[in-house]
Amino acid sequence: MAPSHCDTNNQSNAVPVAMPAAVVRLGKPTPRIGFGTASATLGQAEGRAGVTQAVLHALDAGYRHFDTASSYNTEAAVGDAVAQAVRAGKIASRDDLYITTKLWIADAHPGRVLPALQKSLWNLRMEYVDMYLIHFPVSMWPPAVEGAIMVVKDDLVEMDMKGVWEEMEECHRRGLARAIGVSNFTCKKLEYLLSFTKIPPAANQVVEVHPYCRQNKLRAYCRDKGIQLCAYSPLGGKGAPWANNSVMDSPILEQIAHEKGKTVAQVCIRWVYEQGDCVIAKSFNEQRMQENLDIFGWELTDDDRRRISALPESRGTYNFFVHESGPYKTAEEFWDGEIVAGQSTYQIAASLDSTN
């Protein structure tokens, strides 16, 4: 059954505000605003207890969709928070939540997918996740020592997409992942994936969807194929190694925010929301957690949308997975040429081989 991109008011008595949800082809509706748990330090600076506390604060604010990944080092902290929330009566059960996690590139090989999900579930202390995503459309030879450098460019290899997806489908059939999808897939890669799937992907989470990287082509393709687009960095990821700082430093967005009596972050999240996408907003600051949910009950004007559509597109997305010995020699190859005019500049961080 193809998904509908309409909203449902998926609200339990424990949720302080009604959270619109997108109906996807697998599993239960996805809350349109999710809480991200990744950080530039992969949870090291915050620590397990710090991330747990942030998730608990997010629950209090009204978030019910939580996004993590094996590479974020936050699955265990999310699991701790959920267990504490159930014990404290903040939520009736884990079933009140929507939990997304992701398959890291070192496990994106036939024979490693199911064990990787089982390990994630052990970390989360859960019997299933609501969405399991292939993190990136590339693989890496597994490190000899667990916990080694996240990305070793010399070890990047082409993904056996058919073999990996067959195991993703098996995860779904076993009930370990109520829905399965991908992350950072281009139209071309989705087209190839759809050529052999028995269970098509329910979602495509993309690291950059914001007013300066609008993803109109990809959104139209996903909508046509019944795939829910999810924006991972609606604010451009300022402060991250791959950040697009033009978003939060934009005079146009600041002007729109001033006119609305809102923050630039709220304008960006509202813009993404109005495109029909799901949004992953990440802030461990309690005030900003609440501000990031204050995007309902108002909307952008036609003039606001016109000004945003006229912004020069730019992509700060890292080229972590580009290497002369790997399957993708250039950023253009990795993104299959889906880089519009003005998107040719890629920020290269000194920590490319040690962070996600």
Side-chain angles (χ1 to χ4, degrees), residues 93-108:
S93 73
R94 175 262 178 271
D95 293 339
D96 287 349
L97 305 179
Y98 195 98
I99 307 296
T100 295
T101 195
K102 308 179 190 79
L103 174 76
W104 184 237
I105 61 174
D107 290 316

Side-chain angles (χ1 to χ4, degrees), residues 15 23 48 58 60 80 151 153 166 233 242 251 262 282 320:
V15 182
V23 178
R48 180 167 171 174
D60 290 337
D80 290 346
V151 178
K153 289 194 172 187
E166 285 175 350
S233 296
W242 46 268
K262 300 294 182 181
K282 186 266 172 181
F320 287 7

Side-chain angles (χ1 to χ4, degrees), residues 83-95:
Q84 290 183 35
V86 172
R87 287 197 300 269
K90 290 178 183 287
I91 54 174
S93 73
R94 175 262 178 271
D95 293 339

Side-chain angles (χ1 to χ4, degrees), residues 24-45:
V24 294
R25 64 162 38 99
L26 297 172
K28 64 188 180 186
T30 307
R32 291 282 303 281
I33 312 297
F35 184 79
T37 63
S39 68
T41 64
L42 300 180
Q44 295 175 9

Side-chain angles (χ1 to χ4, degrees), residues 273-287:
Y273 175 81
E274 289 185 5
Q275 308 311 303
D277 306 339
C278 290
V279 188
I280 303 299
K282 186 266 172 181
S283 176
F284 287 0
N285 177 283
E286 289 184 65
Q287 179 180 342

Side-chain angles (χ1 to χ4, degrees), residues 32-354:
R32 291 282 303 281
I33 312 297
F35 184 79
T37 63
S39 68
T41 64
L42 300 180
Q44 295 175 9
E46 298 83 2
R48 180 167 171 174
V51 176
T52 295
Q53 195 60 42
V55 172
L56 288 169
H57 288 320
L59 278 164
D60 290 337
Y63 292 88
R64 291 298 181 267
H65 177 183
F66 293 91
D67 181 86
T68 184
S70 60
S71 61
Y72 296 169
N73 195 35
T74 58
E75 289 175 330
V78 172
D80 290 346
V82 173
Q84 290 183 35
V86 172
R87 287 197 300 269
K90 290 178 183 287
I91 54 174
S93 73
R94 175 262 178 271
D95 293 339
D96 287 349
L97 305 179
Y98 195 98
I99 307 296
T100 295
T101 195
K102 308 179 190 79
L103 174 76
W104 184 237
I105 61 174
D107 290 316
H109 301 275
R112 295 184 65 89
V113 179
L114 181 59
L117 176 55
Q118 290 170 328
K119 181 178 179 181
S120 288
L121 292 173
W122 185 85
N123 288 333
L124 288 161
R125 289 186 284 162
M126 296 178 185
E127 296 180 354
Y128 70 93
V129 291
D130 295 283
M131 181 72 74
Y132 193 43
L133 305 175
I134 297 176
H135 207 151
F136 288 96
V138 68
S139 297
M140 185 181 79
W141 293 123
V145 179
E146 187 174 355
I149 294 174
M150 291 298 301
V151 178
V152 180
K153 289 194 172 187
D154 288 343
D155 290 342
L156 293 172
V157 293
E158 185 174 359
M159 180 189 291
D160 177 356
M161 199 177 294
K162 190 172 188 296
V164 169
W165 189 255
E166 285 175 350
E167 295 195 14
M168 293 287 288
E169 293 177 331
E170 180 62 21
C171 290
H172 173 68
R173 280 190 288 267
R174 293 191 184 198
L176 303 178
R178 298 291 170 86
I180 52 176
V182 297
S183 186
N184 301 302
F185 271 51
T186 61
C187 297
K188 181 177 179 180
K189 290 179 176 64
L190 286 170
E191 188 74 17
Y192 175 63
L193 178 66
L194 291 170
S195 71
F196 55 74
T197 58
K198 294 178 181 176
I199 304 173
N204 183 19
Q205 184 185 111
V206 184
V207 76
E208 274 196 278
V209 183
H210 51 68
Y212 278 84
C213 187
R214 295 183 283 278
Q215 299 283 12
N216 292 333
K217 177 182 177 181
L218 182 61
R219 180 178 298 105
Y221 182 88
C222 287
R223 183 171 292 130
D224 181 62
K225 301 298 182 181
I227 300 169
Q228 178 65 49
L229 193 66
C230 185
Y232 176 77
S233 296
L235 312 183
K238 188 170 184 178
W242 46 268
N244 188 324
N245 294 327
S246 59
V247 180
M248 296 303 289
D249 295 339
S250 169
I252 297 297
L253 294 177
E254 288 180 4
Q255 183 180 1
I256 294 172
H258 177 74
E259 293 167 358
K260 289 279 182 293
K262 300 294 182 181
T263 66
V264 171
Q266 288 169 328
V267 168
C268 291
I269 296 170
R270 177 70 200 188
W271 179 85
V272 175
Y273 175 81
E274 289 185 5
Q275 308 311 303
D277 306 339
C278 290
V279 188
I280 303 299
K282 186 266 172 181
S283 176
F284 287 0
N285 177 283
E286 289 184 65
Q287 179 180 342
R288 287 195 290 271
M289 284 182 197
Q290 295 174 341
E291 288 178 352
N292 290 343
L293 284 181
D294 184 18
I295 65 155
F296 308 109
W298 60 278
E299 62 182 25
L300 298 169
T301 65
D302 288 341
D303 184 62
D304 295 334
R305 299 182 191 106
R306 178 192 59 77
R307 285 185 284 174
I308 289 174
S309 67
L311 292 172
E313 295 230 32
S314 62
R315 177 172 282 189
T317 304
Y318 47 83
N319 54 3
F320 287 7
F321 306 113
V322 172
H323 192 259
E324 59 185 10
S325 68
Y328 303 109
K329 309 297 191 290
T330 66
E332 284 72 18
E333 283 185 7
F334 185 83
W335 298 107
D336 292 318
E338 293 179 16
I339 304 171
V340 302
Q343 287 187 309
S344 59
T345 301
Y346 283 72
Q347 297 181 356
I348 302 176
S351 57
L352 286 181
D353 289 342
S354 61

